[in-house]
Amino acid sequence: MDQALTGHLLWLIPALPAFGAALVLIVGRRTQAWAHLATTALSSTSAVLAIVMWIAMTGRDAADKAASSDLYSWVPVGDLQVDFGMRLDQLSMCFVLLITVVGSLIHVYSIGYMRDDPDRYRFFAYLNLFVAAMLILVLSNNYLGLYLGWEGVGVASYLLIGFWQHKPAAATAAKKAFVMNRVGDMGLAIAMMLMFSTFGSVNFDDVFAQASSASEATLTGIGFMLLLAACGKSAQVPLQAWLGDAMEGPTPVSALIHAATMVTAGVYLITRSGPIFDLAPNAQTGVVVVGAVTLLFGAIVGCAKDDIKKALAASTMSQIGYMVLAAGLGPAGYAFAIMHLLTHGFFKAGLFLGAGSIMHSMDDETDMRRYGGLWRVMPITFATFGLGYLAIIGIPPFSGFFSKDGIIEAALAAGGTRGVALGAATIIGAAVTAFYMTRVMVMTFFGPRRWRDEAHPHESGASMTAPMIALAIGSVGAGGLLAIGGTLQDWLAPVVGDAPEHHAGIPVWVVTVIVLVCVVAGAAVAWFQYGRTPIPATAPDDVSALTLAARADLYGDAFNERVFAGPGAAATAALVAVEDRGLGAVPSGVGSAVTGASEVTRRAQNGFVRSYALSILAGTVVIAALTLVVNVL
């Protein structure tokens, strides 16, 4: 497949799942018997097409790898000329493969997971919509098209998180995610306005080509607005509070949101906008700080969660923090951010699908204190979940080792106090990750059985275990394949720039040893705390203040309630009171005056010709008198 043919067929990749979503939603419940098959087939076809294009791309010269297509003139308004265009380059190809392949595996898994749901057709339509929106986001060649996909992902996440809307918690979680993401979306909208006012365009090529001519203050403003958008979509501090509640949706939704699509969008936005951030060091520093804070924030929260899905959600927050930190390091970190994003896509999707398999066999129980000993009755789930566990904590040669160690080395190579601080944050985060993930493994699969009487755990069917096995293979091998010989760095270099050599001040092997020692120590502490003592059925109350804070998500919701929601509600109440007691009387008074005047003037309209003739005569006399007075004066 040559470059021109790739460009001509590019629109099909998002169009296929978009067609599936539209077909099922329009036809409705009559598709219940086959919607899951049709939508899975369409998503899988997109994956096959993406793989074919990737293979073709690898066979072309570096200058000819990217393919583009302008479908039609989308916004031809004065100076704002935006085509609905797509571009498939080395960066977008990484995301297209992740979205379509992992997304299709999640579709297959959902066939078994959602088998008995009466609204299964609608669920699969939303999955297709989610995949289509994310593909538009990463394939667009301009910020406006990216924004279209960005909002599409937001709508799809709202629909999927609140899919079981009969549950008040699910409905509330969907609204919370929607509102918090809108806060971030304002950042992207403002950034586009600044781009248009500065560069006269929102196309990537135009903006990046002119970026060096703009003032640093303007680029810094654009950078911080893009960072705000990334914080909302990727659940980074301070817009992280929606992610844990998003677990109220069906488990395949959690895997899709947390691994292959939504939360990775912020990392893509920052990396794609690298030419802007590279010229705005203050904005770049902001990205690094947000990533470092969030990776520790999420790790601490994950240590105190007994709900298996919420523990994994906190883990996602932390791992995305690693990616954001790496992206904030500029060319030195872009490739490692994308590498960790890709490896995370495999092992985190596998972990969430494993959690769903456990819940499916445990009568939807999510409390790990009610698990224990499941490795005996769920050997496939245990094996695949275990491989994902080894990958996420960074044990060699599993995939997370290569990507996370690359980020740690790049952080240390930042130099000076900054390098020491960032290196310490990433290494501490690795140790805490090993602690909370070992805690999850021990409480779930080891120790005595703590099941409720009504639970009858068993291994899931083939439609659920097959995707878990495929993702486990990726958890084992993806990192090595991407890291060998700088494969991914060389692949991305034409888009994100060449990565400079790392100079951390100490040999790489010493860094690796230090990290592995910290990881083993974190895992050992978790084993001694949870593997060698009985686990109570309810969480103990006599714990440290930090544990209590972690259980409450480090008071993120309380902060938002006190700082934003509370004052907002008070301001609204005050405006209502002013409307009722003060300003509300102004429009009503004007209305009353107009009504009274109308009552008087309508009496002159009596229908008698003599009255109208008298009015005309009186008016003529008045005008004549005024004319005479004016002439005399």
Side-chain angles (χ1 to χ4, degrees):
M1 183 182 294
D2 60 17
Q3 187 181 29
L5 182 57
T6 299
H8 287 311
L9 298 179
L10 193 53
W11 65 275
L12 281 173
I13 294 180
L16 290 171
F19 171 75
L23 175 65
V24 173
L25 291 175
I26 290 172
V27 177
R29 190 169 294 278
R30 287 172 291 179
T31 66
Q32 177 77 355
W34 52 266
H36 56 293
L37 300 176
T39 53
T40 302
L42 288 167
S43 177
S44 300
T45 303
S46 282
V48 171
L49 185 58
I51 293 171
V52 171
M53 290 183 178
W54 168 61
I55 294 173
M57 182 182 285
T58 59
R60 296 198 293 267
D61 294 335
D64 299 325
K65 287 188 184 298
S68 60
S69 173
D70 289 329
L71 300 181
Y72 58 88
S73 180
W74 185 20
V75 184
V77 181
D79 294 333
L80 180 60
Q81 300 289 324
V82 183
D83 293 333
F84 196 95
M86 294 185 176
R87 178 180 177 86
L88 184 66
D89 57 17
Q90 292 90 327
L91 177 60
S92 54
M93 176 57 82
C94 292
F95 282 83
V96 168
L97 289 172
L98 177 68
I99 295 162
T100 56
V101 173
V102 176
S104 296
L105 291 173
I106 293 171
H107 275 72
V108 174
Y109 177 93
S110 300
I111 293 175
Y113 192 89
M114 301 295 290
R115 178 180 291 112
D116 300 323
D117 195 285
D119 292 320
R120 179 176 62 176
Y121 75 96
R122 187 162 51 86
F123 177 82
F124 277 89
Y126 295 161
L127 284 186
N128 259 203
L129 177 63
F130 208 132
V131 170
M134 190 66 189
L135 287 170
I136 291 173
L137 190 159
V138 300
L139 283 172
S140 177
N141 65 3
N142 61 80
Y143 282 98
L144 189 60
L146 184 152
Y147 188 77
L148 175 65
W150 193 272
E151 293 303 311
V153 170
V155 171
S157 67
Y158 170 78
L159 296 172
L160 285 168
I161 295 170
F163 181 75
W164 289 323
Q165 67 267 25
H166 58 276
K167 297 167 54 180
T172 301
K175 290 185 286 187
K176 182 177 181 180
F178 190 82
V179 170
M180 294 198 73
N181 272 272
R182 298 295 75 72
V183 175
D185 295 351
M186 286 301 298
L188 183 52
I190 294 171
M192 287 193 294
M193 297 175 194
L194 290 173
M195 290 174 193
F196 179 67
S197 65
T198 304
F199 308 117
S201 174
V202 292
N203 292 326
F204 293 151
D205 290 341
D206 296 337
V207 171
F208 300 156
Q210 300 178 63
S212 59
S213 64
S215 68
E216 184 176 322
T218 298
L219 294 174
T220 299
I222 294 174
F224 273 112
M225 289 300 99
L226 293 174
L227 175 59
L228 177 62
C231 287
K233 198 66 72 180
S234 294
Q236 299 292 283
V237 173
L239 298 177
Q240 81 292 341
W242 66 269
L243 194 64
D245 294 314
M247 297 302 98
E248 293 295 337
T251 299
V253 174
S254 303
L256 193 63
I257 290 177
H258 286 250
T261 56
M262 186 168 177
V263 294
T264 64
V267 181
Y268 171 77
L269 178 65
I270 295 172
T271 305
R272 175 62 77 184
S273 304
I276 294 175
F277 283 100
D278 292 342
L279 296 171
N282 290 331
Q284 207 169 50
T285 299
V287 174
V288 170
V289 170
V290 166
V293 170
T294 306
L295 77 87
L296 294 175
F297 188 105
I300 292 171
V301 170
C303 294
K305 295 297 183 183
D306 292 332
D307 185 309
I308 188 170
K309 289 177 65 178
K310 290 192 175 183
L312 294 178
S315 168
T316 296
M317 190 190 308
S318 178
Q319 299 305 307
I320 297 293
Y322 272 100
M323 302 172 206
V324 171
L325 185 152
L329 296 174
Y334 288 139
F336 292 112
I338 300 304
M339 183 189 296
H340 197 52
L341 186 150
L342 295 174
T343 59
H344 179 265
F346 284 103
F347 60 68
K348 183 51 64 65
L351 289 170
F352 266 111
L353 295 189
S357 176
I358 295 166
M359 293 167 53
H360 194 68
S361 70
M362 292 285 289
D363 196 28
D364 288 330
E365 178 63 72
T366 62
D367 189 348
M368 293 184 293
R369 294 181 181 276
R370 298 292 183 179
Y371 292 166
L374 289 178
W375 71 270
R376 299 180 182 87
V377 292
M378 304 185 71
I380 298 177
T381 300
F382 167 65
T384 56
F385 196 99
L387 292 174
Y389 156 74
L390 294 172
I392 193 173
I393 68 173
I395 297 296
F398 297 94
S399 60
F401 164 75
F402 297 97
S403 56
K404 190 180 293 184
D405 266 36
I407 294 174
I408 294 172
E409 292 162 15
L412 289 168
T417 304
R418 184 190 191 203
V420 172
L422 295 179
T426 53
I427 293 173
I428 292 172
V432 180
T433 299
F435 173 84
Y436 70 72
M437 285 306 304
T438 302
R439 177 178 180 269
V440 170
M441 282 294 295
V442 171
M443 293 180 70
T444 300
F445 293 104
F446 298 103
R449 302 178 179 185
R450 303 183 300 275
W451 316 329
R452 297 181 186 272
D453 294 337
E454 59 269 23
H456 302 285
H458 56 277
E459 190 57 87
S460 301
S463 67
M464 295 173 64
T465 56
M468 291 159 56
I469 293 171
L471 292 169
I473 294 172
S475 299
V476 174
L481 292 175
L482 294 172
I484 291 175
T487 302
L488 186 64
Q489 289 175 293
D490 294 340
W491 173 261
L492 291 173
V495 181
V496 302
D498 294 316
E501 292 291 331
H502 287 164
H503 299 287
I506 54 177
V508 172
W509 69 267
V510 175
V511 175
T512 300
V513 170
I514 292 173
V515 174
L516 286 177
V517 168
C518 292
V519 166
V520 172
V525 171
W527 172 260
F528 279 103
Q529 185 169 345
Y530 295 96
R532 296 172 62 87
T533 58
I535 297 176
T538 58
D541 295 327
D542 54 337
V543 294
S544 66
L546 180 60
T547 300
L548 291 175
R551 289 178 184 174
D553 297 333
L554 297 182
Y555 305 114
D557 283 332
F559 176 84
N560 290 334
E561 180 68 28
R562 182 68 61 87
V563 176
F564 298 109
T572 302
L575 290 173
V576 171
V578 170
E579 170 70 20
D580 290 342
R581 300 175 185 178
L583 295 178
V586 174
S588 61
V590 173
S592 300
V594 172
T595 300
S598 299
E599 287 289 336
V600 174
T601 56
R602 74 180 181 84
R603 296 172 184 172
Q605 305 298 321
N606 54 21
F608 295 109
V609 175
R610 62 178 179 270
S611 298
Y612 299 156
L614 183 60
S615 299
I616 294 172
L617 178 61
T620 303
V621 170
V622 170
I623 293 172
L626 290 174
T627 303
L628 289 172
V629 171
V630 171
N631 290 334
V632 171
L633 295 176

